[in-house]
């Protein structure tokens, strides 16, 4: 009899955003290669990146201040842009 094993590694994935609120340079700290997307609160795509593990530095100074959603894999976090 054949047996199979499914391991879901995505449940252990997390990421950090700092500083938050931010007005200039945002750092997204990743533990593995990921697509990073920033949306406004209406769901409009603002920016999209692909990054190996480590720190992704994003200059957000040209984005209007307000509340945004950062999605990495299946996790989302609220980002506040201040000026």
């Amino acid at each position: 009899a054949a047996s199979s094993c499914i391991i879901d590694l995505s449940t252990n994935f997390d990421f950090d955003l700092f500083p938050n609120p931010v007005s200039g340079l945002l750092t997204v700290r990743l533990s593995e290669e990921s697509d990073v997307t920033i949306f406004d609160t209406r769901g409009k795509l603002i920016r999209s990146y692909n990054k190996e593990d480590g720190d992704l530095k994003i200059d957000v100074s040209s984005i209007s201040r307000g509340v945004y959603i950062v999605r990495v894999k299946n996790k989302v976090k609220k980002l506040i842009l201040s000026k």
Side-chain angles (χ1 to χ4, degrees):
S3 65
S4 63
C5 179
I6 298 173
I7 300 172
D8 184 4
L9 300 175
S10 64
T11 56
N12 295 326
F13 175 80
D14 201 8
F15 69 99
D16 290 316
L17 298 175
F18 55 91
N20 192 8
V22 62
S23 60
L25 197 62
L26 171 70
T27 300
V28 182
R29 179 157 291 158
L30 304 168
S31 60
E32 58 190 67
E33 181 179 353
S34 305
D35 291 322
V36 178
T37 48
I38 302 174
F39 297 92
D40 67 13
T41 54
R42 296 182 311 253
K44 178 184 173 192
L45 177 65
I46 304 299
R47 301 261 179 96
S48 180
Y49 305 88
N50 181 273
K51 175 74 173 98
E52 309 266 332
D53 61 336
D55 289 352
L56 171 62
K57 306 277 189 186
I58 303 171
D59 181 1
V60 295
S61 61
S62 63
I63 302 175
S64 300
R65 70 180 179 167
V67 177
Y68 294 85
I69 304 300
V70 178
R71 184 177 74 199
V72 180
K73 294 190 182 273
N74 60 346
K75 303 213 182 238
V76 296
K77 294 190 178 181
K78 182 168 71 171
L79 172 67
I80 300 171
L81 296 186
S82 59
K83 296 288 181 192

